[in-house]
Amino acid sequence: MSQIEKAKIPDVPQMHQLINHFADKGEMLARPLSELYESIRDFFVIREGERVVACAALHIDWSDLAEIRSVTVTEDSQGKGLGDQLIAACLKESAELGIKTVFCFTYQPDFFRRHKFVDIDKMELPRKVWTDCFRCPKFPNCDEIALIYHAEEPD
Ligand SMILES: CC(C)(COP(=O)(O)OP(=O)(O)OC[C@H]1O[C@@H](n2cnc3c(N)ncnc32)[C@H](O)[C@@H]1OP(=O)(O)O)[C@@H](O)C(=O)NCCC(=O)NCCS
């Protein structure tokens, strides 16, 4: 299994390329380099040697709400379980932080449904989560699907 780690500054140019490669294809929201440096502590990466082959971020929105964003796996590394590893790492970190609710906006809802995310009406999410949307080229005609994960209470 590939090692998943928190991102480091030298990873950022490759993360930028990876995310914006899929953003150019209309599959996710683009992220400027400046934002990736500012939010570096949100990110997990999976590397093969020096190469970043996958990344994802857990972004904290509020005391009880976080977002998984920018989940990407290079085409030649897809189908090997890296996407699953990224989601598991984000959910583990949110649990460790004490955050029980995690949402995402995506064009790949089935991928998130596998991880116990369920569909939610975007309008049910607090307004704060829309901050990013204002700079999305599709705003206000968002066609991404919102899903939410509620951590199970321990028995
Ligand atoms: C979606 C994405 C992150 C999946 O990553 P991946 O590493 O290929 O996924 P995994 O190998 O971990 O897949 C694990 C399981 O999920 C399934 N799966 C993968 N992508 C899926 C999708 N888009 N929809 C439904 N199921 C999916 C796999 O079939 C596999 O199932 P199995 O264990 O029963 O065989 C990857 O395809 C990607 O980076 N896509 C482009 C960017 C993107 O659309 N990101 C979406 C999040 S915003």
Side-chain angles (χ1 to χ4, degrees):
M1 188 184 270
S2 312
Q3 190 70 28
I4 187 160
E5 292 175 294
K6 293 300 285 189
K8 297 200 167 87
I9 291 292
D11 298 322
V12 170
Q14 290 189 68
M15 287 159 45
H16 183 244
Q17 213 173 17
L18 189 51
I19 294 165
N20 291 309
H21 165 73
F22 291 112
D24 288 347
K25 297 205 295 180
E27 295 179 19
M28 64 199 316
L29 184 60
R31 302 280 172 193
L33 204 47
S34 58
E35 183 189 321
L36 296 182
Y37 282 119
E38 281 171 19
S39 59
I40 179 81
R41 284 173 289 193
D42 288 353
F43 274 87
F44 290 96
V45 291
I46 299 175
R47 302 187 197 86
E48 270 176 18
E50 301 286 299
R51 182 176 173 234
V52 174
V53 293
C55 69
L58 180 80
H59 180 78
I60 312 302
D61 279 302
W62 202 245
S63 63
D64 55 356
L65 187 66
E67 175 183 3
I68 293 182
R69 51 169 69 162
S70 303
V71 184
T72 53
V73 179
T74 53
E75 271 112 353
D76 59 346
S77 294
Q78 288 179 10
K80 298 178 183 171
L82 304 192
D84 272 358
Q85 268 183 266
L86 291 167
I87 304 299
C90 290
L91 293 179
K92 180 168 180 278
E93 187 174 58
S94 66
E96 285 165 0
L97 287 165
I99 295 177
K100 294 198 171 74
T101 310
V102 182
F103 76 96
C104 67
F105 287 126
T106 186
Y107 293 113
Q108 305 295 338
D110 285 340
F111 177 68
F112 285 90
R113 287 179 189 128
R114 299 179 69 257
H115 292 272
K116 300 190 180 166
F117 280 73
V118 294
D119 297 41
I120 185 173
D121 184 338
K122 291 184 192 91
M123 292 320 204
E124 285 181 40
L125 292 167
R127 256 190 227 162
K128 187 175 185 303
V129 311
W130 294 93
T131 324
D132 274 355
C133 301
F134 296 120
R135 56 181 180 74
C136 176
K138 292 187 177 172
F139 183 80
N141 301 312
C142 176
D143 55 357
E144 286 193 303
I145 295 164
L147 297 104
I148 197 153
Y149 166 92
H150 298 286
E152 286 161 15
E153 296 293 336
D155 296 329

